[in-house]
Amino acid sequence: MGSAAHFSNERVFRGFLVWFCSWGLLSLTCASGRLSVSSQNFEVHKHLKRLNKPAVKSIQSPDGDVIDCVHISKQPAFDHPFLKDHKIQMNPSTTPELLFGENKLWHQTGVCSDGTIPVRRTMKEDVLRASSVKRYGKKKHRTVPLPRSADPDLANQSGHQHAIAYVEGGKFYGAKATINVWEPKVQSPNEFSLSQLWILGGAFGQDLNSIEAGWQVSPDLYGDNNTRLFTYWTSDAYQATGCYNLLCSGFIQINSQIAMGASISPVSGFHNPQYDISITIWKDPKEGHWWMQFGDGYVLGYWPSFLFSYLADSASIVEWGGEVVNMEEDGHHTTTQMGSGQFPDAGFSKASYFRNIQVVDSSNNLKEPKGLNTFTEKSNCYDVEVSKNDDWGHYFYFGGPGRNPNCQ
C-alpha cells in the first residue's frame, strides 16, 4: 500500500442542442402529408416524449451524448402522481459527519444554469435495445447479491454474479465508499459490469427495497462501452418499480452540474494513475428522504421516502462491490471483466478497490462497519479480499477476468 498516496482523485464528467424534433429522432416517414409509423415506433415515440422533457438549452458532449438542461420542476420524477404537489427540498436538513477527505470534480463542456438540471437525452436507439419499451432502464429480477443463500444455483439463476463485502443484522441509515474507476471489457452487448453500493431493506423475494449507486459499463443501456455514473432504485425486488438514473419517476435531482448516466473520465490504468469516486447515501433524519452525494459537496438529489416500505424506516443490509451479467452465450462463462479484470491479489494499480467504506448510524454519523463479511458465487471467476489500515480504513480489492482456465 506504500504507493497508494500517489494516486489522483480528480474526475471529469464528459456527459453533459436544441431539442431535436421527435419525428427526426424516430426516423418516421411522411408521404403525401400522412404519417406512417409502426405500433412499435408509436410506443417508442410516446415513451421518448415522457422521458425527454422540453429543454431550456442543450449541450453536446464530446462522447456523443446530448444533455438537456430541463427546468427542475419539469424533470421525470414529477410524473409520479404522489409528487404532483411535492415541494422540492433543495438541501438535506443535515449531512453525516465526514471521517475522510473527498475527491474533486470538474466539467469539460459546461454546466446547466441554476433552476435546471442536466438530463441525458434518451434516443430511439436506446429504447429499441431493450427487450421491451416497458423494460427499458430496468434491471432484471433477482439481480441483488444473496449473501445468506446456501444454494449457489439459486444465487446465480439470474445469470448475475457478484463479488461483494457486506454488513447485516442491524439498522443502517446510509453508507459511503470511495470506488476505484476502471473501464472493464464487456463480452456481449446484453451484459454489463458495474461497481456500486447497495442499501437494502426487506426480503430477497417480492418486496425487496434497494437504493444503488456507482459506476457501470452497459452497452445495452447506453449504446457504448464508456464507464458511467449511475443510480438505481426498486421497492418490489426489480419487478415493476424503479429504474436507472432518471428513466422513470422517483429520484428528484437538484444538482445542476452532474448528469446521471454521464461518462466518467479519466479511468484507471495498469501501473498508471488510479482514479476513484466517492459516493454517500444517507437518510435525512428530519424529512426521511434518502439523499445522494458525489465527492465533496455535490449533493445530487434524493429518493422521496414514500417510494419505499422497509426503507421508509432504515436499511437492514449494506453491500459494496461488483456485479456482472454472465449470459454464457457460447456455453462457457463470459469473459466480461469485473473491476479492472484482475483478481484481488494483484493489488494496487492492477486490481480494483473500494476504500474507506462506512455506514451511517442512527445518530447520522459515519462509522466503520462492524462484522464485515464477503460473498461471491464463483471465486474462480471473480473474488474479493478485505483488509484495513490507517489511510484506507476498511477496504477491499475485488474483481476478476471471468472465463479463465479455472472458470469455464
Side-chain angles (χ1 to χ4, degrees):
M1 298 301 299
S3 60
H6 299 294
F7 69 86
S8 170
N9 284 329
E10 296 171 335
R11 318 289 329 129
V12 177
F13 269 80
R14 295 192 312 238
F16 248 31
L17 278 190
V18 172
W19 169 257
F20 284 149
C21 170
S22 55
W23 308 125
L25 278 174
L26 286 167
S27 301
L28 305 182
T29 58
C30 282
S32 303
R34 295 183 178 181
L35 185 65
S36 173
V37 58
S38 68
S39 62
Q40 181 189 44
N41 271 351
F42 180 67
E43 288 301 314
V44 172
H45 171 58
K46 287 201 305 181
H47 200 59
L48 288 172
K49 285 196 70 175
R50 282 195 295 268
L51 293 177
N52 293 328
K53 304 302 184 184
V56 175
K57 73 171 183 176
S58 299
I59 301 169
Q60 180 71 58
S61 167
D63 62 6
D65 287 348
V66 176
I67 304 299
D68 291 319
C69 298
V70 175
H71 194 278
I72 191 170
S73 65
K74 303 297 184 183
Q75 62 181 293
F78 294 103
D79 290 339
H80 198 293
F82 289 178
L83 289 173
K84 292 300 182 185
D85 299 316
H86 180 79
K87 182 178 179 181
I88 300 173
Q89 190 175 343
M90 295 306 296
N91 291 289
S93 65
T94 184
T95 58
E97 179 184 348
L98 300 179
L99 299 184
F100 295 95
E102 300 289 348
N103 57 340
K104 301 296 182 180
L105 171 148
W106 74 96
H107 291 276
Q108 207 171 28
T109 56
V111 298
C112 293
S113 59
D114 290 344
T116 68
I117 64 163
V119 181
R120 180 180 182 270
R121 185 182 299 172
T122 300
M123 302 297 190
K124 175 187 177 184
E125 293 75 19
D126 295 330
V127 181
L128 291 178
R129 283 191 301 272
S131 59
S132 68
V133 172
K134 186 177 181 180
R135 294 303 304 170
Y136 172 64
K138 296 180 179 293
K139 283 189 176 184
K140 294 181 180 178
H141 184 46
R142 200 182 285 282
T143 65
V144 71
L146 298 170
R148 294 174 295 178
S149 172
D151 184 352
D153 291 331
L154 173 64
N156 193 40
Q157 70 179 33
S158 69
H160 290 241
Q161 290 182 243
H162 310 83
I164 65 165
Y166 69 96
V167 290
E168 62 179 343
K171 285 193 170 187
F172 306 103
Y173 297 85
K176 181 184 178 182
T178 298
I179 311 171
N180 196 197
V181 179
W182 291 79
E183 191 173 84
K185 298 294 186 290
V186 174
Q187 176 182 324
S188 171
N190 56 353
E191 296 179 335
F192 65 63
S193 180
L194 58 76
S195 297
Q196 67 167 74
L197 57 86
W198 289 261
I199 309 290
L200 301 170
F204 288 92
Q206 305 301 308
D207 59 359
L208 181 74
N209 290 194
S210 183
I211 293 174
E212 308 168 24
W215 62 257
Q216 66 181 165
V217 175
S218 178
D220 187 56
L221 184 60
Y222 301 105
D224 58 31
N225 291 287
N226 293 343
T227 300
R228 294 174 176 273
L229 175 72
F230 82 93
T231 62
Y232 199 92
W233 71 275
T234 180
S235 62
D236 62 357
Y238 307 94
Q239 295 179 95
T241 64
C243 62
Y244 282 110
N245 306 329
L246 303 181
L247 295 178
C248 66
S249 55
F251 184 82
I252 298 174
Q253 182 162 338
I254 62 168
N255 188 282
S256 64
Q257 302 178 63
I258 298 174
M260 296 294 190
S263 297
I264 303 175
S265 176
V267 297
S268 305
F270 295 108
H271 299 293
N272 283 318
Q274 298 299 293
Y275 299 94
D276 50 30
I277 58 174
S278 291
I279 290 176
T280 309
I281 296 174
W282 77 99
K283 193 174 192 294
D284 187 321
K286 181 179 179 181
E287 300 292 340
H289 306 318
W290 287 88
W291 286 82
M292 175 179 172
Q293 178 170 304
F294 178 94
D296 185 12
Y298 289 90
V299 177
L300 299 188
Y302 59 95
W303 292 269
S305 59
F306 77 82
L307 294 174
F308 306 103
S309 51
Y310 295 99
L311 289 181
D313 175 44
S314 62
S316 55
I317 301 177
V318 176
E319 300 174 345
W320 303 262
E323 176 184 352
V324 300
V325 176
N326 173 30
M327 298 300 295
E328 296 186 338
E329 290 187 339
D330 55 1
H332 298 283
H333 194 284
T334 183
T335 59
T336 290
Q337 300 172 334
M338 180 188 292
S340 68
Q342 296 290 307
F343 284 113
D345 58 7
F348 185 76
S349 83
K350 294 181 285 261
S352 188
Y353 60 79
F354 277 64
R355 63 178 177 89
N356 302 123
I357 61 175
Q358 300 163 83
V359 295
V360 180
D361 67 12
S362 59
S363 299
N364 203 39
N365 293 318
L366 282 160
K367 301 289 187 181
E368 294 187 339
K370 294 182 178 179
L372 191 64
N373 300 297
T374 62
F375 170 80
T376 182
E377 291 92 349
K378 295 183 178 180
S379 60
N380 289 335
C381 307
Y382 313 105
D383 206 0
V384 55
E385 295 179 2
V386 299
S387 191
K388 180 182 179 182
N389 65 24
D390 291 339
D391 291 333
W392 282 17
H394 283 80
Y395 70 92
F396 60 88
Y397 287 100
F398 74 103
R403 188 194 308 171
N404 66 78
N406 297 316
C407 172
Q408 296 294 322

